[in-house]
Amino acid sequence: MIQLIRGFKDILPGEVELWQTIERTAVALFEDFGFDELRIPIMEKTELFARSIGEDTDIVEKEMYTFADRKGELLTLRPEATASIVRAYIQHKLHAADPAHHFYVIGPMFRRERPQKGRYRQFYQIDAEIFGDGSAWADVRLIHLLCTLMERLSVTDTAVQINSLGCPDCRPAYRRALSEMLEKVADRLCADCNRRRQRNPLRVLDCKVPGCREALTDAPALVDYLCEACKIHFDTVLESLTALNLAHQVDKRLVRGLDYYTRTTFELQTGALGAQSAVAGGGRYDGLVKALGGPDTPASGFAIGLDRLVEIVAQQQPARRRAPRLFIAALGPEPRRKAFFWRLALAEQGIRCEMEAADKSLKAQMKHADRLNAGHVLIIGDAELGKGAGVLRDMTTKAQVEIPLNNLVAALKATLAAQP
Ligand code: HAM
């Protein structure tokens, strides 16, 4: 039998309902907070991701699904949404009338990481971006949005970790200090870090190898090198989070795995997920729109790992398969023929109804209705057809009433609407 690809997964009925609930909650929230949906393609030219996420990142170096198409052009399955959103913003000149835009994207991303709980090769993100607002308020609004979503989903065990990565004005001095320090501990760093140390020393701070982490305990922190403007920006973010009562901690080591960040970076972490503790991550990327050929436009955003969020929500409200409101237990050819038409008419009226695919005994059909968790069962055989009334059984209370069969759809609609 052909199995699915390692690190990929199917989301089956019984699980998918929770995904739908979370997605609907997020969409409603985005509408409340003034974000518009954007749909971007699953694939882009490889160069887009290499230039925006950064050549020295794990994502670009090791994790992208890249292939040459039939004409030899290098294409990549999107490992994240931000680069594509920036590309679309520039390509469609969405900045022309007004640079300020709020976008959200929900969909699958692809990274060839080592699969484990909470880490997949196809995973899903809920992504939000604000363009054209360079103020600290934009960062705060994003974190507030993220926390409000958690609140609406009753997810409580979370904490915001936050840091500032400075700007092109203050970063060079920090880079020099970091490079000097890295040189001193070079013999304790892994091969990747030693390679990256020269070209992109900040990446070394993101290394997960325990030996490297140990060697870096005394590494200088960017927040201690911020220029005046970056410091004011960061202080405003922190003060506003406090004023909003949003719990947060400064994590001087939070550099994130993508190169485009400037100033604020943040993650939403949880204790509920074991090793993969980041439910969401994001930050400001003021240089990216210009670097990709657009006008100088500040931007900030985040992405939630939807798979991880589902796992957290599932711990408190297990997913349940959606149940039919009605099951028609029809016995014999004529009742089954009638049931076939009633079922279609009921679906047209918004009443989810199921029936047996094959002719089976009443006992078997009642068992099936029970398994599906149907709210009611309508029982009809030849006798009921002759009488012009079927039996409607409430599967919770077990109470049975007669229901007239002429104009059955209207009668059922009225009866079922009266039920919770
Ligand atoms: P990221 O930190 O790479 O940021 O990903 C965001 C979230 O996606 C992570 O916190 C995690 O929950 C989830 N995630 C990442 N990789 C996997 C995986 N292999 N399996 C399951 N979940 C995963 C970004 O992608 C940025 N584009 C966020 C952003 C938007 N920054 C600014 N705007």
Side-chain angles (χ1 to χ4, degrees):
M1 198 229 127
I2 301 169
Q3 304 266 344
L4 51 62
I5 309 166
R6 194 164 123 80
F8 287 59
K9 67 177 168 198
D10 301 309
I11 305 165
L12 305 177
E15 305 169 67
V16 82
E17 290 77 3
L18 216 48
W19 290 71
Q20 291 171 336
T21 305
I22 295 173
E23 286 165 11
R24 284 188 193 128
T25 309
V27 169
L29 185 85
F30 283 130
E31 279 169 15
D32 294 347
F33 281 64
F35 285 67
D36 297 316
E37 186 178 5
L38 188 68
R39 299 204 180 185
I40 46 171
I42 290 285
M43 268 196 284
E44 299 271 3
K45 294 181 182 166
T46 303
E47 194 193 347
L48 174 69
F49 300 117
R51 275 178 52 194
S52 48
I53 299 170
E55 300 273 7
D56 306 308
T57 58
D58 277 354
I59 299 177
V60 172
E61 267 188 357
K62 306 175 188 165
E63 296 169 359
M64 295 204 304
Y65 281 96
T66 297
F67 64 95
D69 80 353
R70 284 168 192 271
K71 289 248 166 85
E73 185 172 29
L74 278 187
L75 303 177
T76 295
L77 289 177
R78 61 183 188 196
E80 59 118 42
T82 312
S84 308
I85 299 173
V86 172
R87 186 215 25 84
Y89 180 78
I90 301 169
Q91 181 167 351
H92 304 289
K93 295 194 172 48
L94 300 179
H95 47 76
D98 180 358
H101 281 275
H102 294 61
F103 299 118
Y104 74 88
V105 166
I106 302 178
M109 310 292 155
F110 304 84
R111 296 184 194 173
R112 203 177 183 292
E113 296 191 78
R114 197 167 57 80
Q116 53 182 278
K117 188 172 156 49
R119 189 188 280 163
Y120 310 98
R121 291 181 170 175
Q122 174 173 332
F123 61 100
Y124 294 77
Q125 282 187 344
I126 300 178
D127 183 286
E129 313 284 352
I130 299 181
F131 284 76
D133 185 344
S135 75
W137 305 124
D139 304 344
V140 175
R141 283 200 290 129
L142 286 162
I143 297 171
H144 173 251
L145 173 86
L146 186 57
C147 294
T148 309
L149 178 62
M150 295 305 136
E151 204 177 298
R152 288 197 188 176
L153 293 169
S154 306
V155 172
T156 48
D157 178 21
T158 54
V160 176
Q161 307 290 319
I162 189 161
N163 193 19
S164 174
L165 293 184
C167 70
D169 282 343
C170 44
R171 215 179 280 175
Y174 172 72
R175 265 181 74 132
R176 273 195 301 278
L178 181 62
S179 292
E180 277 167 25
M181 185 269 166
L182 293 177
E183 211 178 312
K184 287 186 198 140
V185 295
D187 55 335
R188 296 165 64 194
L189 300 177
C190 71
D192 273 353
C193 283
N194 265 312
R195 192 167 35 78
R196 290 169 177 171
R197 185 162 69 80
Q198 319 283 349
R199 285 165 50 123
N200 196 344
L202 250 79
R203 284 272 61 86
V204 176
L205 295 178
D206 196 40
C207 184
K208 305 284 181 286
V209 175
C212 296
R213 297 197 76 92
E214 241 168 67
L216 292 168
T217 37
D218 295 327
L222 224 162
V223 278
D224 300 325
Y225 287 75
L226 296 181
C227 63
E228 197 50 28
C230 284
K231 192 164 175 354
I232 293 173
H233 187 105
F234 194 42
D235 287 344
T236 309
V237 172
L238 298 181
E239 278 161 29
S240 313
L241 292 178
T242 306
L244 286 164
N245 245 337
L246 297 174
H248 58 279
Q249 280 158 358
V250 175
D251 176 355
K252 293 183 173 186
R253 308 295 293 276
L254 185 70
V255 287
R256 313 262 307 116
L258 307 95
D259 270 355
Y260 48 58
Y261 291 112
T262 52
R263 294 194 166 167
T264 317
T265 52
F266 57 91
E267 279 186 6
L268 190 76
Q269 310 227 339
T270 170
L273 284 177
Q276 305 308 319
S277 59
V279 196
R284 178 162 284 286
Y285 49 98
D286 287 342
L288 187 58
V289 178
K290 189 157 181 228
L292 291 178
D296 200 356
T297 310
S300 190
F302 68 75
I304 301 169
L306 184 50
D307 309 66
R308 295 184 189 175
L309 185 55
V310 168
E311 279 163 32
I312 298 172
V313 175
Q315 287 173 9
Q316 53 207 40
Q317 55 172 94
R320 262 218 253 123
R321 213 184 144 181
R322 199 161 285 122
R325 313 243 350 241
L326 184 76
F327 187 97
I328 308 181
L331 298 153
E334 186 53 19
R336 281 179 56 74
R337 197 184 73 85
K338 280 265 191 309
F340 162 77
F341 288 106
W342 282 328
R343 180 191 195 180
L344 298 186
L346 284 163
E348 280 175 17
Q349 296 296 315
I351 294 175
R352 187 178 173 124
C353 171
E354 297 195 23
M355 63 180 281
E356 205 61 58
D359 197 2
K360 291 213 174 133
S361 72
L362 180 61
K363 196 173 157 204
Q365 295 196 48
M366 292 308 286
K367 261 196 178 157
H368 188 181
D370 222 21
R371 218 171 41 240
L372 292 174
N373 214 4
H376 286 76
V377 178
L378 172 69
I379 303 161
I380 36 166
D382 287 327
E384 282 74 20
L385 283 189
K387 217 164 52 171
V391 175
L392 186 67
R393 181 176 168 89
D394 182 324
M395 295 297 276
T396 317
T397 64
K398 314 287 179 220
Q400 297 198 160
V401 291
E402 281 208 337
I403 187 153
L405 294 179
N406 65 340
N407 221 355
L408 176 73
V409 174
L412 274 172
K413 246 188 112 174
T415 313
L416 297 183
Q419 308 271 331

